[in-house]
Amino acid sequence: MVELKLAKLPDRTPVKLAITVTPDLLNALRDYAAIYAQTYGTEEPVADLIPAMLTAFLESDRNFIRARETAQRGQS
């Protein structure tokens, strides 16, 4: 088998997740979307911003990253 530089792509099948948020959080998310639109000149629905926000949050949490790597090493 040929070994390519690009590894096999991970599963990218979208998964729908329903959540319930408080009114205060919904207001904050709407405000974020409005500021995002002012900043980038593109309106995006809150539902489209949330996955990117969660990804950015998880990628910036160093303790989470370390703990996750440790847990994954323990599973292999």
Side-chain angles (χ1 to χ4, degrees), residues 23-36 46 49:
D24 288 343
L25 179 55
L26 179 59
N27 288 333
L29 290 167
R30 287 178 177 160
D31 290 344
Y32 191 96
I35 295 167
Y36 180 95
V46 168
L49 294 173

Side-chain angles (χ1 to χ4, degrees), residues 8-35:
K8 183 178 178 186
L9 296 177
D11 183 7
R12 292 167 289 153
T13 305
V15 177
K16 186 169 179 105
L17 179 65
I19 64 168
T20 303
V21 299
T22 63
D24 288 343
L25 179 55
L26 179 59
N27 288 333
L29 290 167
R30 287 178 177 160
D31 290 344
Y32 191 96
I35 295 167

